[in-house]
């Protein structure tokens, strides 16, 4: 194995449909034949990402909850897992905090600004459904958090105050539109990528691992800057302006179609 592909999935594959599956399965089969890992990066839970993996026939490592944890299937021998713990069917390398700690942190910061913040743990599945635009099963999976907590985003001024307080407590808040995420300060995508790359079997001075990164928005910029081959996927609104100064490979199409196109091109160029 001399190539690892890291890909953002929350935005790029948000409109994944049945019509896309055959094209994706075909390119994934080629990656498998060459023992290339296609590693999803997500703010979603293990339960949510596993569903995505099973639909596409993938059994590669995956990064969840904003870089809080890395899960590797027990039977995957392509990575050194000697320093990991075992959770269910997986090796786990944890970078962030526990869910209990994230919930406690959310309570602590809300007291600082004297405002009640509703997290997923305060809601039932019916409350969560409209927030994720998903089914009851999807809501249950979204609530199955292990390292972080989503909560309803307050006003801009309040979220800035929360971010400052969270930092003082040793946590961080990733502000979003309707939902924001509180997680441990150690949860970082770049460190997750670095750990996987360094622990890939065959990652030595004589056999260097090449890394590919696929992203689409400003939140992916730091991740893409650390990898050997950055690939940008346009959003339905076009190419994010943060990439204007970058001379990086860019897909011709947006979303899932552009993602498939980029994977096919990577196969042609590097395998």
């Amino acid at each position: 194995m001399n190539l690892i592909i890291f890909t953002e999935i929350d935005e790029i594959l948000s409109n994944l449909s049945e019509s896309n599956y055959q094209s994706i399965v075909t390119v994934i089969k080629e990656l498998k034949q060459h023992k290339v890992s296609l590693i999803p990066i997500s703010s979603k839970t293990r339960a949510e990402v596993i569903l995505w993996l099973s639909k596409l026939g993938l059994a590669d490592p995956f990064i969840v909850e904003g870089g809080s944890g890395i899960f590797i299937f027990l039977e995957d021998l392509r990575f050194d897992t000697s320093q990991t713990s075992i959770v269910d069917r997986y090796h786990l390398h944890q970078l962030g905090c526990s869910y209990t700690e994230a919930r406690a942190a959310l309570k602590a910061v809300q007291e600082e600004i004297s405002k009640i913040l509703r997290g997923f743990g305060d809601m039932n599945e019916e409350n969560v459904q409209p927030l994720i635009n998903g089914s009851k099963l999807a809501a249950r999976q979204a609530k199955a958090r292990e390292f972080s907590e989503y909560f309803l985003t307050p006003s801009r001024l309040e979220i800035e105050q929360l971010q400052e307080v969270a930092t003082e407590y040793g946590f961080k808040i990733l502000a979003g539109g309707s939902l924001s995420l509180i997680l441990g300060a150690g949860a970082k995508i770049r460190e997750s990528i670095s750990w996987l790359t360094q622990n890939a079997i065959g990652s030595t001075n004589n056999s260097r691992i090449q890394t590919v990164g696929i992203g689409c928005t400003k939140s992916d910029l730091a991740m893409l800057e650390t990898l050997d081959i950055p690939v940008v996927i346009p959003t339905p609104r076009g190419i994010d302006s943060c990439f204007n100064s970058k001379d990086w490979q860019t897909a011709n199409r947006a979303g899932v179609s552009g993602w498939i196109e980029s994977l096919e091109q990577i196969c042609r160029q590097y395998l």
Side-chain angles (χ1 to χ4, degrees):
M1 179 179 64
N2 57 12
L3 186 70
I4 299 178
I5 303 172
F6 295 92
T7 179
E8 189 280 338
I9 62 171
D10 295 352
E11 292 289 336
I12 296 174
L13 302 185
S14 60
N15 293 318
L16 185 62
S17 65
E18 295 293 334
S19 62
N20 302 125
Y21 282 131
Q22 188 52 54
S23 297
I24 295 175
V25 168
T26 299
V27 72
I28 285 176
K29 282 182 178 178
E30 185 166 359
L31 294 175
K32 283 182 176 180
Q33 288 172 358
H34 291 86
K35 295 182 170 55
V36 173
S37 291
L38 178 63
I39 298 178
I41 299 172
S42 178
S43 62
K44 297 181 183 295
T45 65
R46 170 167 50 130
E48 291 174 289
V49 176
I50 287 172
L51 179 63
W52 182 84
L53 291 174
S54 63
K55 284 183 177 180
L56 300 181
L58 269 176
D60 289 325
F62 51 99
I63 300 168
V64 299
E65 300 190 39
S68 295
I70 303 167
F71 287 97
I72 302 173
F73 285 87
L74 292 178
E75 57 270 25
D76 192 339
L77 303 178
R78 296 171 297 172
F79 297 85
D80 179 1
T81 54
S82 59
Q83 301 300 312
T84 62
S85 57
I86 294 179
V87 177
D88 301 327
R89 300 167 50 217
Y90 309 91
H91 294 284
L92 166 65
H93 178 64
Q94 183 172 336
L95 295 93
C97 65
S98 68
Y99 178 70
T100 301
E101 290 170 329
R103 287 282 298 171
L106 182 62
K107 183 176 180 180
V109 297
Q110 75 177 4
E111 290 175 353
E112 290 284 347
I113 67 166
S114 302
K115 183 179 179 68
I116 295 175
L117 300 172
R118 291 188 69 207
F120 274 13
D122 303 308
M123 308 177 196
N124 58 30
E125 292 164 5
E126 288 75 13
N127 296 143
V128 173
Q129 273 185 262
L131 297 174
I132 64 169
N133 192 29
S135 65
K136 191 170 183 179
L137 173 61
R140 186 178 310 127
Q141 293 168 336
K143 280 171 57 65
R145 309 201 72 79
E146 297 172 275
F147 314 106
S148 62
E149 176 71 325
Y150 266 123
F151 62 95
L152 297 177
T153 304
S155 69
R156 180 172 179 177
L157 178 60
E158 289 170 329
I159 194 67
E160 289 175 353
Q161 289 177 318
L162 284 173
Q163 286 174 319
E164 290 178 8
V165 175
T167 300
E168 293 174 4
Y169 278 93
F171 293 82
K172 61 182 178 180
I173 290 176
L174 304 180
S178 60
L179 293 171
S180 293
L181 187 68
I182 186 165
L183 62 172
K188 297 177 182 177
I189 299 296
R190 293 175 67 168
E191 277 69 9
S192 299
I193 289 172
S194 176
W195 187 90
L196 280 164
T197 304
Q198 290 172 10
N199 286 279
I201 304 299
S203 179
T204 66
N205 291 333
N206 296 326
S207 179
R208 183 177 176 274
I209 301 292
Q210 268 204 311
T211 55
V212 177
I214 304 177
C216 65
T217 64
K218 184 178 181 180
S219 61
D220 304 320
L221 182 59
M223 177 266 287
L224 293 175
E225 287 178 331
T226 67
L227 301 176
D228 299 320
I229 306 163
V231 180
V232 176
I233 309 298
T235 69
R237 298 174 298 281
I239 298 172
D240 195 301
S241 60
C242 73
F243 301 121
N244 288 346
S245 62
K246 305 294 184 182
D247 185 23
W248 290 345
Q249 179 178 320
T250 303
N252 294 314
R253 291 175 288 181
V256 181
S257 297
W259 186 75
I260 296 170
E261 169 197 314
S262 296
L263 287 176
E264 291 172 339
Q265 185 172 345
I266 288 165
C267 288
R268 288 193 299 268
Q269 283 185 263
Y270 301 104
L271 301 183

